[in-house]
Every structure is written in structure tokens, then in C-alpha cells.
Amino acid sequence: MSGFLTEELVVFPANYAGHLKLALGALAMGLLVSIPAGILAARQKYVAGPALATASVIQTIPGIALLALMVPLMGGMIGFWPAFVALSLYSILPMLRNTIVGLRGVDEDVREAALAVGMTARQRLREVDLPLAAPVIVAGLRTASAWVVGTATLSTPVGARSLGNYIFQGLQTRNWSAVLFGCLVSAALALALDQIIAQFEKSASERKRSHAIAGGIGLVLIILPALLVISPQRTGPTTSPSSEAAVADSSNALPLEGQTITVASKGFTEQYILADLLRRTLEAQGARVRVREGLGTTVAFDALAADSVDIYVDYTGTVWASLMNEEEPAQRADMYAQVSAWLLAEHGVLSAGKLGFENAYAFATSPETARTHDLETIGDLSGAPLSIASDPEFFGRPEWTRTRDAYGLESLSPRSMDSAFMYDAVRRGEVGLITAYTTDGRIDAFELVLLEDTRSVLPPYDAFMLIGPEARTNTALLNVLGALEGKISTELMRKANSRVDLERQSSAQAGAWLYEQIFPAE
């Protein structure tokens, strides 16, 4: 827990502020849309049906899917805006429905009396209908607030800072203190916001200003922690002068001084470590670095191609199968050449060099299962009544279909599972085998057996740096990143991953260790 406190509580104000900004902004936008639409729908019955149906359809879309869809729909943009739009859409249904119900529930005699005393339709709406419907409308706002605050934790994969950063990174790095902290703070925020809105609801129903004042004070109190934000980006220990010298040239000038560079990572241990390594390397040369952690594969690439981020690390096999949609693997050098050419020609993205290690998929099982079913190669799995667990992405990629068909693995039962839980599951015998990552330290620690791919069906997965269209013209940046090319062996990366997955260090601590291995102090 102490490591978590020292490494992660530093970024709490920024995570909390990002979450609050998303939630309050989405609720405000939802109100601006819902109340006018509800007024129109309450007056015109033919509008109510389609309006509620549209809002209901949006509500049935899983929150994380709606968030992810916003990225391509908004031209590859990541961060606050796609999350804001998705959450705003998500907030509309309860407020729209309650606005319609509240306005239709106003006593007709009261409405006729308002007209009888000379009020216009607009005056009646403003001075009679809306005040009487306000308690019901505010009740819808309470429901929406709970939905939005909870769903905002899912914003991390699209690059928006929120309390979900603790949860997603904690799941991948097995830091359960971070997961629990993110859940508790998010729940506390939802409950606090609910009680604040409840005060406004009481004020509307009882016509007492004291409740509105109490709600206003509560709102100020939950906003105050967000005002502690000094910098929206994660910062870490600065590197030593001797380490900086390993990357910089002999002059004292820092080549990236004054530049802001955005680094992205996907959502698993190795990617968090590599993002921290890139951050340290760039900061040592004077850059101000922003880090977007926990992005999905397509989200990260779309953001890079749209210049929303400048650099991230991917793998040749991932680009080959998931982005280029190639079905047949190629020889290692040929694949890297084709991937590099495609990235530059189709998206203006530059391959800035391989890091020196491969993190491929490998079929792994426990020693007991291997002995029981006499398993040494993937082909030995043919006809075996076993379950196979992998990250959800793998079962949707061509290499799974190709491997299954090449080796006759129809008897295997696929189970999608977060990579954080796969290794324990196969060790305990809860699944028969998994698609392990070859740089994962748990392979050795759990004494897992890797099955040989005798037909070379699985493609190579060399780690390499990708630079966005705008950033690739930055010669100083390319020179700095060149210092990392070929410097990380598979064994070194496995040790760095083990520090997080087995020794329970933070990704920042593992990133610092890896940096020192590459650029040792003299």
C-alpha cells in the first residue's frame, strides 16, 4: 500500500478533477438538451415517442462501446471530448423522461387558471409548468448523475483522465489497492453528488431556499479538491545528469527544450512501463511529456494518425493482423519492412526503430496439464477437451482462426479473460491453457510450459516505436528516440514486467529501473 500511496496519490487531484469535469460537464450538457426536448415532447405527443426511443437506444449501448465509438466518429480525437460527448448522450434518457412526465403531470386546472389570469403560453411554462415539474425533473438529474459518475470511470481507454485510471491500471498491474481506491472514491463522489442534487430537489418541492444554499455549499466542497491540480500530467523522478548524458550529445543544450510531446500506451503492464521509459527519456532531453495511458489498440493508432498523440510502442504482428488485416504471416524482416512501408504510405506514420525484443503470443499450460495430455507442441492440442483463455482481442484476430484451422483445434473452448487473471487461472487449473505473452515474467515464475509452434503459424511481434505524421518531422525527437533502438532484450523486458506483476512495484518504479539499465549512471 505504501508504494501505491507514494506513486499514485500524487496524481489524485488531476484524476479527480478530470472525473469531475467529465461528470458535471456531461450532466450540464444533458440538461441543456433534455429540458427543451422534453418541453417539446410534452406538448407534441408525436415527438415524445421518437425522442424517448432514440434516448433509450443510446442507453442500451454498453458504456465502454459508446465511448470507443466516439473516437473514430470524431476523427481519431482522444481525451476529454469523445468522453464528454458519450457521457452527455448517456445522461439524456432519465432527464428527458422525467421532464416529459413532470410537465404532463401538472394539474390541468392549474394550467387553465394561469391562462385565465392573462398569462401567455410562454409565461405559463416559465412561471407555472416548469416550477411545478421541477421536483420530477431534478429526480431525473439524480438518476443521471449516478449513471454518469459510474460510466466516467470507463473513459480511460479513450485517453480521458478520470478515477478509472486507478482501476484500469490497477487491474493490469495487479495493484488491488489502486483498484479499490478508484472504486471507493468514484462511489463516494456519486453518493455526494446524489445528496447535493437531493437538496436542490427538496428546494424545488418545498420552496425553501435553505436547501438550495446547502446544495450549493456541497457543490463547492466537492469541487475544491479538483482545484488542487497543479499540472494535468503525471510527473515522476527526474533523471540524473549522468543518465541524461547517455542520451544527449556532449553539449549542454537540451534538444527538446520547450517542446511538449504526448506519449500513449495500451492497457497492460508492459505498455505502462514502456510509456514511463519514453517519458523519462524525453524529459531528460528537456521535453514536457504528457502521457495517455490505457488506450485500446485501434484507439491508440487512430489518435496517433490524427496527431492527437505523438508516439507509442506497438508490435509488428498487431499492426499486420489488426490494422493491415493481413491473414498470412511473413518472415520477421519482411514483415517489419512491409509494416513500415504501409504505415508511412497510408497514414503518414513513421516506424522509428525496433526496441530489440519480441512480445509474441505463445500457447502456455501448466506442467500438470502438459503431463496429463502429453503436450509439447500446439499440434498436440488437437482433440484435447480443454478450455483456452486469452484477452478478448486475440479471439477476434486472424491468427486465432489461422492457428485453430492449421492445427485442428476445434475441440478447444475459448474463454475471453483479462490478461491480469489468465496466468493465475491456468496455474490453478481453472483453464487448460492460455495465450501467454512471451515477455511476461509469470511464465517462468509459474513454471508454465510453452507449446512449440511447429508450423510457424503465429506471426512475429517485434516491439517498435511509432511516430505520428506531425512528430516525424521533428529531427531532434527522432535523434533522442534513436538511443532506445535495440536496447531492450526480451530478458530485460521480462525482468521489468516481473517487477510489477510479481514484486508488486508500480509501473513507474519498473520504468525507472529499466531506464537505469539502458542509461546507467557513470
Side-chain angles (χ1 to χ4, degrees):
M1 182 70 177
S2 60
F4 164 70
L5 288 172
T6 56
E7 293 288 339
E8 297 299 336
L9 285 183
V10 175
V11 298
F12 170 74
N15 287 345
Y16 179 80
H19 201 103
L20 197 63
K21 183 180 177 181
L22 279 172
L24 296 182
L27 288 172
M29 179 56 68
L31 274 175
L32 290 176
V33 173
S34 300
I35 291 180
I39 292 171
L40 180 61
R43 290 176 173 176
Q44 308 291 340
K45 292 185 178 180
Y46 67 87
V47 175
L52 287 171
T54 301
S56 298
V57 168
I58 293 173
Q59 193 66 46
T60 61
I61 301 173
I64 196 165
L66 185 62
L67 286 158
L69 283 172
M70 289 299 111
V71 175
L73 290 177
M74 298 180 69
M77 182 184 295
I78 63 169
F80 173 81
W81 289 108
F84 168 76
V85 172
L87 292 172
S88 298
L89 292 173
Y90 223 62
S91 72
I92 289 175
L93 178 61
M95 292 188 285
L96 175 62
R97 183 173 54 207
N98 279 37
T99 300
I100 295 172
V101 171
L103 290 173
R104 287 181 176 176
V106 176
D107 191 291
E108 192 63 32
D109 290 339
V110 174
R111 301 181 78 245
E112 290 180 1
L115 293 178
V117 297
M119 285 188 178
T120 64
R122 180 171 296 181
Q123 289 174 324
R124 183 180 68 180
L125 174 66
R126 185 176 64 251
E127 299 179 22
V128 177
D129 293 349
L130 284 176
L132 292 177
V136 180
I137 296 173
V138 176
L141 176 60
R142 290 182 68 181
T143 302
S145 71
W147 290 0
V148 168
V149 171
T151 307
T153 60
L154 302 176
S155 301
T156 298
V158 299
R161 186 179 282 275
S162 72
L163 295 170
N165 286 32
Y166 291 118
I167 298 171
F168 279 89
Q169 186 167 356
L171 283 172
Q172 289 300 323
T173 60
R174 298 161 63 88
N175 185 343
W176 308 123
S177 296
V179 175
L180 182 61
F181 182 81
C183 291
L184 290 177
V185 177
S186 177
L189 177 59
L191 291 173
L193 194 57
D194 177 78
Q195 290 305 305
I196 289 169
I197 298 173
Q199 294 302 312
F200 290 111
E201 184 180 3
K202 289 180 181 179
S203 177
S205 60
E206 299 175 11
R207 304 294 191 271
K208 292 183 178 179
R209 294 183 60 187
S210 59
H211 291 300
I213 294 172
I217 293 173
L219 194 60
V220 170
L221 290 176
I222 67 168
I223 292 175
L224 277 179
L227 301 180
L228 297 176
V229 176
I230 298 174
S231 170
Q233 300 304 321
R234 178 176 186 153
T235 59
T238 57
T239 53
S240 64
S242 57
S243 295
E244 293 176 6
V247 182
D249 56 26
S250 58
S251 67
N252 292 325
L254 296 176
L256 299 179
E257 188 71 43
Q259 297 188 31
T260 298
I261 298 171
T262 304
V263 174
S265 82
K266 300 184 190 182
F268 55 94
T269 298
E270 182 170 287
Q271 286 277 309
Y272 290 126
I273 295 172
L274 291 173
D276 191 80
L277 171 66
L278 289 171
R279 177 183 66 80
R280 293 172 187 275
T281 303
L282 297 171
E283 285 181 348
Q285 301 309 307
R288 179 178 180 271
V289 181
R290 298 180 299 187
V291 180
R292 303 287 194 183
E293 296 177 326
L295 305 184
T297 294
T298 55
V299 172
F301 182 77
D302 288 345
L304 184 77
D307 286 318
S308 295
V309 300
D310 298 312
I311 177 175
Y312 81 102
V313 175
D314 214 326
Y315 307 89
T316 52
T318 300
V319 176
W320 182 265
S322 297
L323 302 179
M324 297 173 65
N325 297 315
E326 295 287 347
E327 296 185 358
E328 296 297 325
Q331 186 270 341
R332 186 180 303 276
D334 184 45
M335 176 179 286
Y336 181 65
Q338 290 192 51
V339 164
S340 299
W342 180 84
L343 288 171
L344 189 60
E346 297 294 327
H347 299 280
V349 170
L350 179 67
S351 300
K354 295 191 287 186
L355 293 175
F357 71 92
E358 177 187 23
N359 186 9
Y361 283 112
F363 281 50
T365 187
S366 66
E368 295 77 15
T369 301
R371 286 193 298 269
T372 300
H373 296 276
D374 193 23
L375 302 177
E376 294 182 357
T377 70
I378 297 178
D380 295 335
L381 292 168
S382 181
L386 297 173
S387 58
I388 176 172
S390 184
D391 58 82
E393 184 177 335
F394 177 76
F395 292 124
R397 291 163 63 152
E399 50 260 61
W400 162 241
T401 305
R402 188 171 56 249
T403 305
R404 182 194 61 196
D405 295 344
Y407 287 107
L409 305 182
E410 287 78 8
S411 62
L412 298 182
S413 302
R415 291 181 61 182
S416 294
M417 186 180 297
D418 193 281
S419 60
F421 304 113
M422 293 192 308
Y423 296 87
D424 284 324
V426 74
R427 180 178 62 167
R428 293 194 297 260
E430 296 174 357
V431 295
L433 65 151
I434 63 173
T435 56
Y437 305 140
T438 54
T439 55
D440 199 300
R442 286 169 288 187
I443 293 175
D444 292 335
F446 296 169
E447 299 180 341
L448 300 182
V449 177
L450 300 185
L451 305 182
E452 185 181 357
D453 179 14
T454 55
R455 300 183 183 179
S456 300
V457 176
L458 295 170
Y461 280 83
D462 294 318
F464 70 112
M465 296 174 284
L466 282 71
I467 313 295
E470 184 176 330
R472 70 183 174 90
T473 62
N474 188 335
T475 303
L477 173 62
L478 298 179
N479 289 338
V480 169
L481 295 175
L484 294 173
E485 189 170 355
K487 292 297 181 66
I488 308 175
S489 66
T490 298
E491 182 62 25
L492 188 60
M493 194 68 243
R494 187 176 292 171
K495 288 180 179 179
N497 289 333
S498 295
R499 286 176 169 264
V500 176
D501 294 326
L502 297 173
E503 300 176 23
R504 298 295 184 266
Q505 293 185 10
S506 69
S507 57
Q509 290 173 316
W513 176 85
L514 185 58
Y515 183 90
E516 290 299 327
Q517 302 307 302
I518 298 172
F519 307 118
E522 296 179 358

